[in-house]
Amino acid sequence: DAGVTQSPTHLIKTRGQQVTLRCSPKSGHDTVSWYQQALGQGPQFIFQYYEEEERQRGNFPDRFSGHQFPNYSSELNVNALLLGDSALYLCASSSRGSIYGYTFGSGTRLTVV
Amino acid sequence: ILNVEQSPQSLHVQEGDSTNFTCSFPSSNFYALHWYRWETAKSPEALFVMTLNGDEKKKGRISATLNTKEGYSYLYIKGSQPEDSATYLCASTIANNDMRFGAGTRLTVKP
């Protein structure tokens, strides 16, 4: 049974570019949440998707957007990249109605140069 | 309390010290409280899920307690080891299944 799969694992982009990160949730999970962990910082909640809609959002600018597809997979898009967007981006999936919390992917390491 | 709050933000202890940190969460519509350990370069690992007031969970040298009436949970580490260094996240699930994470407590255990 596959867990949460994220792609790519590493990515290097130039300032001003746009990036799309992808996440496939664990089988049976319907909710996907995205987190950003900058070096030396704790994880910061970006947003959560359920039923193809953004349900919650953290304190991130509109440059950060997302999408959830009918198969529950999700994308995180970041426009107009800044150097400060360099971080590990984690995707976590969960199942509505279950108390067992999230299963996390291994993350995508984004470096903006 | 409207959000999940963790304290302290960071903590430095010596090997062998015991330590604890706090998670505060909204007590209304409470459903479950989760603790995760997140080591650098790894995925967060689930430690405990607690649902009942007074719940206590233990895993080796790590234990946690839950007070749903006042909206807090403590995580205890007995005899800290360098391998305990990580960010410890707590998250609260409320009745509508929204799961809210705290910002984490970053623990550093010095040899």
Side-chain angles (χ1 to χ4, degrees):
Chain A
D1 180 24
V4 178
T5 305
Q6 290 187 244
S7 63
T9 54
H10 296 84
L11 200 54
I12 300 175
K13 289 286 190 177
T14 304
R15 274 181 302 176
Q17 284 188 313
Q18 179 266 344
V19 68
T20 298
L21 310 182
R22 295 177 175 82
C23 172
S24 294
K26 181 178 179 178
S27 177
H29 285 183
D30 54 14
T31 301
V32 174
S33 303
W34 287 91
Y35 290 82
Q36 179 198 65
Q37 188 195 23
L39 195 63
Q41 303 295 319
Q44 301 294 316
F45 173 69
I46 304 174
F47 42 54
Q48 181 184 80
Y49 277 83
Y50 171 66
E51 290 187 334
E52 303 178 48
E53 290 188 14
E54 184 182 291
R55 299 292 178 169
Q56 295 184 69
R57 189 178 183 91
N59 188 25
F60 279 80
D62 292 343
R63 298 186 297 109
F64 289 76
S65 63
H67 190 76
Q68 186 180 33
F69 299 93
N71 67 353
Y72 309 117
S73 66
S74 177
E75 289 182 347
L76 164 65
N77 301 294
V78 187
N79 294 322
L81 284 166
L82 303 173
L83 295 179
D85 295 331
S86 296
L88 177 70
Y89 290 84
L90 280 173
C91 166
S93 72
S94 58
S95 177
R96 257 345 193 230
S98 169
I99 70 165
Y100 293 106
Y102 288 9
T103 300
F104 284 86
S106 299
T108 294
R109 173 70 63 185
L110 171 65
T111 302
V112 182
V113 297
Chain B
I1 297 174
L2 299 178
N3 298 310
V4 177
E5 297 172 356
Q6 291 187 245
S7 62
Q9 185 177 18
S10 64
L11 191 57
H12 295 254
V13 301
Q14 291 294 135
E15 182 176 356
D17 288 350
S18 294
T19 187
N20 65 86
F21 19 93
T22 305
C23 172
S24 301
F25 56 89
S27 55
S28 60
N29 297 318
F30 172 82
Y31 192 61
L33 191 286
H34 310 257
W35 281 100
Y36 289 84
R37 175 170 59 203
W38 194 358
E39 298 178 67
T40 302
K42 296 184 178 179
S43 303
E45 170 198 0
L47 288 174
F48 306 116
V49 178
M50 296 180 287
T51 58
L52 300 176
N53 185 46
D55 257 356
E56 293 187 26
K57 300 275 185 171
K58 187 175 180 182
K59 187 176 182 179
R61 293 178 292 98
I62 303 176
S63 61
T65 61
L66 178 66
N67 182 321
T68 61
K69 293 183 179 179
E70 296 183 38
Y72 65 84
S73 175
Y74 294 134
L75 187 79
Y76 301 91
I77 302 178
K78 183 178 179 181
S80 302
Q81 300 296 309
E83 58 264 32
D84 295 329
S85 296
T87 295
Y88 290 84
L89 295 171
C90 83
S92 170
T93 304
I94 57 178
N96 66 356
N97 293 313
D98 282 341
M99 191 169 184
R100 303 181 183 188
F101 278 80
T105 291
R106 191 162 61 253
L107 175 67
T108 303
V109 182
K110 299 177 182 178

